[in-house]
Structures are given as structure tokens and as C-alpha cells.
Amino acid sequence: MPREYPLERVRNIGIMAHIDAGKTTTTERILFYTGKTHKLGETHEGAATMDWMEQEQERGITITSAATTCFWAHSDFHNDPAKVKANTHRINIIDTPGHVDFTVEVERSLRVLDGAVAVFCAKGGVEPQSETVWRQATKYSVPRIAYVNKMDIMGANFFRVVDMMKDRLNANPVPIQLPIGKEDTFRGIIDLINMVADVYYDDLGKDMRVEEIPADMLEMAQQYRNELIEKVSEVDETLFEKYVAEEEITVPEIKAALRKATLENRIVPVICGTSFKNKGVQKLLDAVVDYMPSPLDVPPIKGIDPRTEKETERHASDDEPFSALAFKIMTDPYVGKLCFFRVYSGVATVGTTVYNATKGTRERLGRIVQMHANNRKDVDEVRTGDIAAVVGIDRTDIGDVYTDPENPVELEPIEIDPPTLSIVFEASTSPLVGRDGDIVGARQLKERLFNEAENNVTMKIEELEDKSGVEVSGRGILHLSVLMESMRREGFEFQVGRPRVLFKKDENGNKMEPVEQAVVECPDEYSGKVVEVFGTSGGIMTSMDTSGIVTHLEFKIPTRGIMGLKNRIMNVTHGEGVFYHTFLEYGPYAGEIGNRQNGAMISMTTEKAVAYALGTLQERGQLFVEPGTECYEGMIVGERSKAGDMVVNIARTKNLGNQRSSTSDISVQLVPPRTFSLEEALEYIADDELVEITPKNIRLRKRLLNATDRKKAAVRAGQVNK
């Protein structure tokens, strides 16, 4: 069967960004304009095609990489059906997560991609996670296009983002577009290559008109075009000679030189738009076609021939021996285990037997599917440059290499960063166990977690020596909480302890711990309080930038200090602060860091909370429960306003007499209780506390429910005297 799309018209790209930059929305618009979907999927409405997991839709974030394939011909050909057919490109897209806890998903995706679109928020610009994914792309020499999104939001500043790319990413960004207006006046873009204006007259992106550049922007446009030509001339000798001689340089010459510079990672073309308002996405697709590499533009992949132990190469060609790299494993409830792979060379058909060079075993490709998010389409064959999935291969792991049995090759493995946090999962010992969930046994809990280990290589799962629980290690609180949330939705009831940071030792035996880069943006008047909060949590300020309205602060802080920090930042900034953090490195142990200062209010009985009792308790601190909440002995019902735990009676009622009735003074003014998300609960608890997780409830409790038992334990630990 002949190839439908020649290799020069194939693009394997990833969409990467900081969280909330609009990455998934951009992908959804790409799918819409390429005809892959016929309805605009909105992330904020939980309707995004690529964020297909229930938790992704609810949280509004990407958790797992999603793959799809779409087709696009350059906008210049859209009025000529014959040219559209002759110039249609096949674009394989992987939408990657933006949250720090899932960067390993980005890492293994970039390993198999040829190019990437880096999405930046026009307001936030380069954020900590932007730097992380940028470094990952640099590690694999992935050519990039920068797309400045959200030009319509308050505070949007295209030129500031370009400057941030220079300063923080050490990149060479070259605008090939300029925005016309910003915030609510953003209405189009200036094409600096063709020197025309693309102006939008609707918010659906359908009514776009090519016009002359606005007179008030013509001088600026000419200046930036000259800078563009100067930059691309540096990578093309012929073009440089014409530039020096002040000869006219044609549009095809500019595009050819810009493409060459992009592929060599010497230039990052910068474009702009607003995906949510459907402006600029078609031009982004044009840029992908014009400047992103095909498999033919990528250097041959190097590997080792296991028969000779000598280095060998695989070129991007259907005529070469088959070679492919597995980069993602997932379990589908309908078809079982799915293994995603990228084909670097050759052709494989359904029923072909391939050699797993990593494990030294033979596997049969019984069923091959092309994925669109979580939807599958059966295909008969895969060719060079394809990204597909094979069904039913149980012995494959991430990083395994499929090759021609007669011409095997071992490719460079995918590196996976080690976990930084661990949490112990235990069977629930709550007095209310079994009220909400169907699965409460320790054996079922253990089986579920070890099944997770088979499909999620980013987690390390081990049973404790005393068989009391299972320790699960991951990349962060959110990473681990996603697993917990999935399990509670499956009907599990269980309890977990306080997250524990994983230390390691350097070559000299010195204790090392994970260190994060944290960034806070807040109104100037709160910056001093933010610095103070970080100081008490072991943080060191590395950068401070004040604009007169908003202060940008950067810190290095141990991961231990990050836990529970977000709430404190929100409190001292009165909810106006923006807080991000990302893993930076392992650094020297920073010593003891203060934990939660305030004590807990602990229920002394197993009863429902009463309004009267809560009314008296709220004067002593902050409540976590409301009237009618079912509580039990040892359950944490609030936080004291000072240190030291306090046992309380949440069911206390009035003393009645001749002059007092149960209905007099009935109105008790209660402050709404503080509610915890799963992540917040994990960050809040102390070492002697647990989070009880059920399908319907998240409760905080003491490990030892009885007050006498807790006192005896404290005496034994030397914390209090008899």
C-alpha cells in the first residue's frame, strides 16, 4: 500500500506550556479548524476532546499526554481544491500536561517528537513550568515555535513576553507577527513576512480579512521586519549578501531561511493570537507547516546493534528496517493494555512479528490503532514518522524498542526522573468505614496499587515491611492525589499519612533533598509578608522585580517547605497572589523547617455536630465541619487559634431550665466551615494525623483516635511528661 502523505508533508509536534497558558484550548481549536472535530470543546466547560479523563475535565488541567492526528493545507491554498489536495500535511499532535507534577509526561513525549509549539500566556509570559519544559525541549534539540496566547485578556503584553523569552530562556525569539491591539481591542495580527494585516471581524475566526497594515503601526512593522530579515540573513550566506547589498529579498527566500534557522534551533519564530476567541490559530497551523521539521529534517536516530555491539543508524525511510520506540503505556477499559510508539524507520503491518530489543523477546502486532484522545481507529499498517498504539502487548515497558528481528537495534532509553514524595496508603480504620464505599479491604487496596505500578512507571510502589500499608512515591502532591481521586471514584475507602519528602545522599555521603523554584506575583503592598512567609518555610529569595503595581518574586525552597504554603500565601495576599512552583534540583539538606503552628480541635465522641456546640467552638479557632456532619472520636473538626490540640464536644447542647427552652436564642451565627480539597488536606495534616478518603467524604483524623492512647504515645515518645 503506497504512502498517502509523503514524509516531507508529515509533522510530529507537541503542544507544551505552563499550566493555564491555554495549551489544551489551542489544541481544541486546531482540531476544529482542521476538521477533526465539528464542535469547539471548551476546557472551562469540561468539554475538551483531548482532556478526556473525568478528572482532567473537572480540574481544567491536562494530566496525561493525549495523541491525535489531523490534516492541514496552508491557508494560501484554501481557495483552490487542487492545491489543497497536493499540499495537505499530516500533523500528529501530542497535547502534553502543564503542571509540574506531570513533567515526566512531557519528557517522554518530547523524546519522540520532531518539533514543538510552546504556548505562552500574554499576561504571565515565561512561568517556572515554561522554563522546565523549555529545558526538556533543549535537551532533545527539539525545534520550537512560540505562540503568545490570550492576547485578549487584561494585562496582555506581547513584547514583554518576547523579552522574557530572551532573559529567562536564553532563547533567540524573532517575531514574525505583531498584534493589532491588545486586551479588549485585540482584533488581528500583522504578518511581517508578507507585510499585510489579518483582521478578524468575528469571534469565531471565520470572518478574517486581509487588509493593509494600519497607518499607526506601519513604522513599527517595518522596523520588526528589518530585524527579522537581519536575523535570518545570519544563517543564510546568499541571503546575507543580498541584505548587505540592500537588494530585495523575496518572501520565499525569507521563509526558506527562517525554516532553516528554526530547524537548527538558532531562531524561535514568535506568533500571537487568542485561541479562546479563535484568532490566530489558522496562522499557527500555517507556521507548523512552514517551519516545523518533517521526519526527513531530523538527524538519523542512533543506536547499538546488539549482534555486533557497534553503533548504527536508522534513517527516516520506509525502505529501512523497522524500528520504533515505546513512549507511553496506558490501560484502556475496553481493549486492555495500550502501548504508544513512534516509528523511526520502516513499515509494519498487522500480524507482523517484531523483536523487542530491550527485553530480547519477540512480539506480534495483533492490533494497531490510531488514537484520537481516548478514541481508537484500527489501521492495517504503520510507516516511518507515524505515532500509533498497539493493543495487547503485556510485556512492553516505556522505553522498549521494537525492531526488525533480522536487523535489530537498541535505541537510547527514555530517562525518567526519580520520585520526590511518598505517601503511605492504608486500609481505613475509621469508625465510619464502609458507609460510603464498596471496597475497604487491605488486600484489594494492595492489588489496586500494584496494578497501578504496571501502568504508571512514574510511580514507585512498595509494601511496608510490617505489611501495615503500601508506600507510593511520585513527583508531587497533585501527582499522588490524582491516583487517590481515581481510587475513591472506583469505590475505595482508605486512609493516607502525611507526605514524606524523599532524601538521598551525594557521593560524599551528605544528605540531599529536593529543592523547588517558587514564583509569587502579588500587589506591591503584600510583598513583604510573602518574603516573611517564605523565610519561615526555609525559602531563599533569588529575584525580585517591582513594577510599581505588581511585584514578581522568585525563591529557592525545599519541597518540605512548599507543603501548605499556598494557603499561607493566599492569606497574606488577601487572595490576590499568584503562586507557582516547579522542581529545580536536589540540594543540601536545609535543616529543620517549622510545621503547622496551630493545634487541632478533636472530637471526643462519635455523634453529629450540633450548631450550639459549634457556635462556642468557632470563638476558639476555625471549624472544618457544619451542623449535622457525622463525626467520630479522634476526628479533626477544626483548627485552634493557638498551639496544642484540644479535645472538644461537638454535640454539646444548652442546659435547659424554667427560664430557658430549646427554642429560645435559637439563632446561632456560624461562619462557613473551611473545606479541603484532597491536595489541601494532604498538605495540612501533621505527622500524627491521617486523611480518610471515601467516595463521598474527605476527613481529617488523628492516627490514634482515643485521647488516652494519644497521651500514652506522647509520653513514650518523650514529647510530654507523665
Side-chain angles (χ1 to χ4, degrees), residues 162-193:
V162 174
D163 288 339
M164 291 176 78
M165 289 179 65
K166 294 176 185 175
D167 297 338
R168 296 190 186 178
L169 303 177
N170 294 318
N172 184 21
V174 178
I176 62 174
Q177 296 176 355
L178 294 180
I180 302 175
K182 63 179 181 178
E183 301 175 351
D184 57 353
T185 64
F186 177 71
R187 59 191 183 94
I189 55 180
I190 294 173
D191 182 343
L192 294 175
I193 296 176

mmCIF file of all heavy atoms in Angstrom, residues 162-193:
data_model
loop_
_atom_site.group_PDB
_atom_site.id
_atom_site.type_symbol
_atom_site.label_atom_id
_atom_site.label_comp_id
_atom_site.label_asym_id
_atom_site.label_seq_id
_atom_site.Cartn_x
_atom_site.Cartn_y
_atom_site.Cartn_z
ATOM 1 N N VAL A 162 8.149 38.418 24.719
ATOM 2 C CA VAL A 162 9.333 38.227 23.881
ATOM 3 C C VAL A 162 10.607 38.531 24.684
ATOM 4 O O VAL A 162 11.595 37.793 24.625
ATOM 5 C CB VAL A 162 9.253 39.106 22.614
ATOM 6 C CG1 VAL A 162 10.560 39.019 21.823
ATOM 7 C CG2 VAL A 162 8.091 38.665 21.723
ATOM 8 N N ASP A 163 10.582 39.619 25.449
ATOM 9 C CA ASP A 163 11.741 39.982 26.281
ATOM 10 C C ASP A 163 12.002 38.923 27.353
ATOM 11 O O ASP A 163 13.158 38.600 27.662
ATOM 12 C CB ASP A 163 11.515 41.345 26.941
ATOM 13 C CG ASP A 163 11.598 42.490 25.942
ATOM 14 O OD1 ASP A 163 12.208 42.310 24.868
ATOM 15 O OD2 ASP A 163 11.037 43.580 26.230
ATOM 16 N N MET A 164 10.925 38.369 27.927
ATOM 17 C CA MET A 164 11.087 37.331 28.950
ATOM 18 C C MET A 164 11.706 36.071 28.355
ATOM 19 O O MET A 164 12.494 35.386 29.017
ATOM 20 C CB MET A 164 9.732 37.006 29.581
ATOM 21 C CG MET A 164 9.160 38.120 30.448
ATOM 22 S SD MET A 164 7.493 37.714 31.076
ATOM 23 C CE MET A 164 7.907 36.592 32.393
ATOM 24 N N MET A 165 11.374 35.774 27.113
ATOM 25 C CA MET A 165 11.976 34.608 26.462
ATOM 26 C C MET A 165 13.480 34.793 26.313
ATOM 27 O O MET A 165 14.259 33.848 26.485
ATOM 28 C CB MET A 165 11.333 34.382 25.090
ATOM 29 C CG MET A 165 9.904 33.875 25.131
ATOM 30 S SD MET A 165 9.224 33.656 23.462
ATOM 31 C CE MET A 165 10.294 32.338 22.854
ATOM 32 N N LYS A 166 13.899 36.020 26.026
ATOM 33 C CA LYS A 166 15.334 36.301 25.911
ATOM 34 C C LYS A 166 16.025 36.177 27.270
ATOM 35 O O LYS A 166 17.081 35.547 27.393
ATOM 36 C CB LYS A 166 15.550 37.712 25.352
ATOM 37 C CG LYS A 166 15.086 37.918 23.920
ATOM 38 C CD LYS A 166 15.252 39.372 23.514
ATOM 39 C CE LYS A 166 14.684 39.617 22.118
ATOM 40 N NZ LYS A 166 14.735 41.067 21.764
ATOM 41 N N ASP A 167 15.410 36.788 28.291
ATOM 42 C CA ASP A 167 16.051 36.892 29.599
ATOM 43 C C ASP A 167 16.036 35.578 30.370
ATOM 44 O O ASP A 167 17.026 35.192 30.994
ATOM 45 C CB ASP A 167 15.370 37.994 30.428
ATOM 46 C CG ASP A 167 15.517 39.375 29.788
ATOM 47 O OD1 ASP A 167 16.458 39.557 28.986
ATOM 48 O OD2 ASP A 167 14.673 40.258 30.076
ATOM 49 N N ARG A 168 14.889 34.874 30.362
ATOM 50 C CA ARG A 168 14.732 33.707 31.227
ATOM 51 C C ARG A 168 15.019 32.382 30.527
ATOM 52 O O ARG A 168 15.351 31.397 31.174
ATOM 53 C CB ARG A 168 13.317 33.679 31.815
ATOM 54 C CG ARG A 168 13.033 34.872 32.720
ATOM 55 C CD ARG A 168 11.732 34.699 33.465
ATOM 56 N NE ARG A 168 11.394 35.907 34.219
ATOM 57 C CZ ARG A 168 10.295 36.061 34.927
ATOM 58 N NH1 ARG A 168 9.398 35.080 34.970
ATOM 59 N NH2 ARG A 168 10.068 37.189 35.581
ATOM 60 N N LEU A 169 14.854 32.355 29.204
ATOM 61 C CA LEU A 169 15.059 31.109 28.478
ATOM 62 C C LEU A 169 16.353 31.110 27.672
ATOM 63 O O LEU A 169 16.708 30.084 27.081
ATOM 64 C CB LEU A 169 13.875 30.833 27.538
ATOM 65 C CG LEU A 169 12.490 30.754 28.192
ATOM 66 C CD1 LEU A 169 11.422 30.543 27.118
ATOM 67 C CD2 LEU A 169 12.417 29.655 29.230
ATOM 68 N N ASN A 170 17.027 32.269 27.630
ATOM 69 C CA ASN A 170 18.226 32.424 26.809
ATOM 70 C C ASN A 170 17.964 32.001 25.365
ATOM 71 O O ASN A 170 18.818 31.417 24.695
ATOM 72 C CB ASN A 170 19.393 31.609 27.386
ATOM 73 C CG ASN A 170 19.857 32.133 28.727
ATOM 74 O OD1 ASN A 170 19.968 33.328 28.930
ATOM 75 N ND2 ASN A 170 20.105 31.217 29.670
ATOM 76 N N ALA A 171 16.758 32.304 24.898
ATOM 77 C CA ALA A 171 16.350 31.945 23.547
ATOM 78 C C ALA A 171 16.616 33.123 22.602
ATOM 79 O O ALA A 171 16.979 34.222 23.023
ATOM 80 C CB ALA A 171 14.871 31.567 23.531
ATOM 81 N N ASN A 172 16.432 32.871 21.316
ATOM 82 C CA ASN A 172 16.546 33.914 20.297
ATOM 83 C C ASN A 172 15.180 34.070 19.626
ATOM 84 O O ASN A 172 14.987 33.643 18.489
ATOM 85 C CB ASN A 172 17.623 33.551 19.279
ATOM 86 C CG ASN A 172 17.846 34.653 18.243
ATOM 87 O OD1 ASN A 172 17.500 35.824 18.462
ATOM 88 N ND2 ASN A 172 18.397 34.289 17.098
ATOM 89 N N PRO A 173 14.206 34.672 20.323
ATOM 90 C CA PRO A 173 12.862 34.812 19.750
ATOM 91 C C PRO A 173 12.835 35.890 18.673
ATOM 92 O O PRO A 173 13.349 36.997 18.868
ATOM 93 C CB PRO A 173 12.012 35.213 20.960
ATOM 94 C CG PRO A 173 12.969 35.935 21.864
ATOM 95 C CD PRO A 173 14.317 35.289 21.660
ATOM 96 N N VAL A 174 12.216 35.578 17.553
ATOM 97 C CA VAL A 174 12.096 36.529 16.451
ATOM 98 C C VAL A 174 10.625 36.637 16.054
ATOM 99 O O VAL A 174 10.071 35.698 15.473
ATOM 100 C CB VAL A 174 12.940 36.079 15.245
ATOM 101 C CG1 VAL A 174 12.763 37.051 14.084
ATOM 102 C CG2 VAL A 174 14.411 35.968 15.630
ATOM 103 N N PRO A 175 9.957 37.741 16.383
ATOM 104 C CA PRO A 175 8.555 37.887 15.989
ATOM 105 C C PRO A 175 8.392 37.863 14.471
ATOM 106 O O PRO A 175 9.108 38.572 13.757
ATOM 107 C CB PRO A 175 8.161 39.262 16.557
ATOM 108 C CG PRO A 175 9.132 39.514 17.670
ATOM 109 C CD PRO A 175 10.426 38.877 17.204
ATOM 110 N N ILE A 176 7.475 37.031 13.987
ATOM 111 C CA ILE A 176 7.104 37.055 12.578
ATOM 112 C C ILE A 176 5.681 37.588 12.424
ATOM 113 O O ILE A 176 5.159 37.680 11.306
ATOM 114 C CB ILE A 176 7.254 35.666 11.928
ATOM 115 C CG1 ILE A 176 6.334 34.633 12.585
ATOM 116 C CG2 ILE A 176 8.692 35.202 11.995
ATOM 117 C CD1 ILE A 176 6.334 33.283 11.880
ATOM 118 N N GLN A 177 5.080 37.930 13.546
ATOM 119 C CA GLN A 177 3.777 38.585 13.591
ATOM 120 C C GLN A 177 3.804 39.654 14.681
ATOM 121 O O GLN A 177 4.583 39.564 15.627
ATOM 122 C CB GLN A 177 2.646 37.591 13.913
ATOM 123 C CG GLN A 177 2.411 36.514 12.871
ATOM 124 C CD GLN A 177 1.349 35.526 13.311
ATOM 125 O OE1 GLN A 177 0.843 35.587 14.439
ATOM 126 N NE2 GLN A 177 1.013 34.608 12.417
ATOM 127 N N LEU A 178 2.947 40.636 14.548
ATOM 128 C CA LEU A 178 2.726 41.629 15.588
ATOM 129 C C LEU A 178 1.228 41.716 15.863
ATOM 130 O O LEU A 178 0.425 41.594 14.936
ATOM 131 C CB LEU A 178 3.246 43.012 15.173
ATOM 132 C CG LEU A 178 4.760 43.185 14.981
ATOM 133 C CD1 LEU A 178 5.058 44.623 14.564
ATOM 134 C CD2 LEU A 178 5.533 42.821 16.223
ATOM 135 N N PRO A 179 0.832 41.905 17.121
ATOM 136 C CA PRO A 179 -0.601 42.016 17.420
ATOM 137 C C PRO A 179 -1.144 43.388 17.025
ATOM 138 O O PRO A 179 -0.458 44.411 17.154
ATOM 139 C CB PRO A 179 -0.660 41.821 18.942
ATOM 140 C CG PRO A 179 0.678 42.305 19.422
ATOM 141 C CD PRO A 179 1.672 41.978 18.345
ATOM 142 N N ILE A 180 -2.364 43.408 16.550
ATOM 143 C CA ILE A 180 -3.076 44.657 16.317
ATOM 144 C C ILE A 180 -3.999 44.865 17.516
ATOM 145 O O ILE A 180 -5.036 44.213 17.655
ATOM 146 C CB ILE A 180 -3.892 44.630 15.013
ATOM 147 C CG1 ILE A 180 -2.975 44.334 13.818
ATOM 148 C CG2 ILE A 180 -4.613 45.957 14.811
ATOM 149 C CD1 ILE A 180 -3.719 44.168 12.505
ATOM 150 N N GLY A 181 -3.592 45.768 18.406
ATOM 151 C CA GLY A 181 -4.340 45.992 19.640
ATOM 152 C C GLY A 181 -3.964 44.963 20.699
ATOM 153 O O GLY A 181 -3.177 44.039 20.466
ATOM 154 N N LYS A 182 -4.535 45.101 21.858
ATOM 155 C CA LYS A 182 -4.372 44.148 22.945
ATOM 156 C C LYS A 182 -5.567 44.244 23.865
ATOM 157 O O LYS A 182 -6.366 45.181 23.778
ATOM 158 C CB LYS A 182 -3.071 44.402 23.713
ATOM 159 C CG LYS A 182 -2.998 45.745 24.412
ATOM 160 C CD LYS A 182 -1.691 45.896 25.167
ATOM 161 C CE LYS A 182 -1.618 47.233 25.899
ATOM 162 N NZ LYS A 182 -0.361 47.373 26.676
ATOM 163 N N GLU A 183 -5.687 43.230 24.750
ATOM 164 C CA GLU A 183 -6.820 43.146 25.668
ATOM 165 C C GLU A 183 -8.114 43.183 24.867
ATOM 166 O O GLU A 183 -8.237 42.471 23.862
ATOM 167 C CB GLU A 183 -6.730 44.244 26.741
ATOM 168 C CG GLU A 183 -5.455 44.160 27.578
ATOM 169 C CD GLU A 183 -5.278 45.305 28.553
ATOM 170 O OE1 GLU A 183 -6.033 46.287 28.501
ATOM 171 O OE2 GLU A 183 -4.348 45.232 29.379
ATOM 172 N N ASP A 184 -9.081 44.017 25.254
ATOM 173 C CA ASP A 184 -10.370 44.002 24.546
ATOM 174 C C ASP A 184 -10.320 44.678 23.177
ATOM 175 O O ASP A 184 -11.303 44.639 22.426
ATOM 176 C CB ASP A 184 -11.466 44.634 25.420
ATOM 177 C CG ASP A 184 -11.130 46.058 25.844
ATOM 178 O OD1 ASP A 184 -9.992 46.516 25.579
ATOM 179 O OD2 ASP A 184 -12.004 46.710 26.462
ATOM 180 N N THR A 185 -9.166 45.296 22.822
ATOM 181 C CA THR A 185 -9.046 45.922 21.498
ATOM 182 C C THR A 185 -8.287 45.034 20.512
ATOM 183 O O THR A 185 -8.062 45.435 19.368
ATOM 184 C CB THR A 185 -8.322 47.289 21.593
ATOM 185 O OG1 THR A 185 -6.970 47.094 22.034
ATOM 186 C CG2 THR A 185 -9.054 48.226 22.561
ATOM 187 N N PHE A 186 -7.871 43.839 20.940
ATOM 188 C CA PHE A 186 -7.140 42.939 20.049
ATOM 189 C C PHE A 186 -8.074 42.471 18.931
ATOM 190 O O PHE A 186 -9.105 41.874 19.167
ATOM 191 C CB PHE A 186 -6.611 41.742 20.820
ATOM 192 C CG PHE A 186 -5.898 40.733 19.949
ATOM 193 C CD1 PHE A 186 -4.666 41.023 19.399
ATOM 194 C CD2 PHE A 186 -6.465 39.502 19.677
ATOM 195 C CE1 PHE A 186 -4.001 40.105 18.594
ATOM 196 C CE2 PHE A 186 -5.811 38.581 18.882
ATOM 197 C CZ PHE A 186 -4.576 38.879 18.333
ATOM 198 N N ARG A 187 -7.681 42.719 17.682
ATOM 199 C CA ARG A 187 -8.563 42.398 16.568
ATOM 200 C C ARG A 187 -7.862 41.724 15.395
ATOM 201 O O ARG A 187 -8.511 41.440 14.386
ATOM 202 C CB ARG A 187 -9.276 43.662 16.075
ATOM 203 C CG ARG A 187 -8.325 44.781 15.610
ATOM 204 C CD ARG A 187 -9.099 46.078 15.396
ATOM 205 N NE ARG A 187 -8.249 47.142 14.878
ATOM 206 C CZ ARG A 187 -8.104 47.429 13.582
ATOM 207 N NH1 ARG A 187 -8.770 46.726 12.664
ATOM 208 N NH2 ARG A 187 -7.311 48.400 13.175
ATOM 209 N N GLY A 188 -6.555 41.494 15.506
ATOM 210 C CA GLY A 188 -5.890 40.834 14.396
ATOM 211 C C GLY A 188 -4.385 40.840 14.561
ATOM 212 O O GLY A 188 -3.852 41.204 15.608
ATOM 213 N N ILE A 189 -3.703 40.423 13.477
ATOM 214 C CA ILE A 189 -2.242 40.323 13.517
ATOM 215 C C ILE A 189 -1.643 40.899 12.242
ATOM 216 O O ILE A 189 -2.276 40.907 11.179
ATOM 217 C CB ILE A 189 -1.787 38.855 13.685
ATOM 218 C CG1 ILE A 189 -2.388 37.973 12.595
ATOM 219 C CG2 ILE A 189 -2.120 38.338 15.066
ATOM 220 C CD1 ILE A 189 -2.002 36.517 12.672
ATOM 221 N N ILE A 190 -0.412 41.389 12.367
ATOM 222 C CA ILE A 190 0.353 41.847 11.210
ATOM 223 C C ILE A 190 1.315 40.740 10.805
ATOM 224 O O ILE A 190 2.116 40.271 11.616
ATOM 225 C CB ILE A 190 1.130 43.139 11.534
ATOM 226 C CG1 ILE A 190 0.158 44.290 11.798
ATOM 227 C CG2 ILE A 190 2.074 43.503 10.390
ATOM 228 C CD1 ILE A 190 0.833 45.550 12.296
ATOM 229 N N ASP A 191 1.225 40.316 9.571
ATOM 230 C CA ASP A 191 2.123 39.314 9.012
ATOM 231 C C ASP A 191 3.378 40.039 8.528
ATOM 232 O O ASP A 191 3.353 40.746 7.512
ATOM 233 C CB ASP A 191 1.423 38.591 7.863
ATOM 234 C CG ASP A 191 2.261 37.492 7.232
ATOM 235 O OD1 ASP A 191 3.496 37.471 7.436
ATOM 236 O OD2 ASP A 191 1.683 36.651 6.518
ATOM 237 N N LEU A 192 4.485 39.884 9.264
ATOM 238 C CA LEU A 192 5.708 40.619 8.944
ATOM 239 C C LEU A 192 6.417 40.076 7.714
ATOM 240 O O LEU A 192 7.269 40.765 7.135
ATOM 241 C CB LEU A 192 6.664 40.591 10.142
ATOM 242 C CG LEU A 192 6.189 41.321 11.400
ATOM 243 C CD1 LEU A 192 7.183 41.094 12.531
ATOM 244 C CD2 LEU A 192 6.012 42.805 11.129
ATOM 245 N N ILE A 193 6.124 38.861 7.305
ATOM 246 C CA ILE A 193 6.774 38.282 6.127
ATOM 247 C C ILE A 193 6.118 38.803 4.852
ATOM 248 O O ILE A 193 6.796 39.232 3.915
ATOM 249 C CB ILE A 193 6.745 36.751 6.198
ATOM 250 C CG1 ILE A 193 7.580 36.277 7.396
ATOM 251 C CG2 ILE A 193 7.284 36.137 4.900
ATOM 252 C CD1 ILE A 193 7.563 34.786 7.628
#
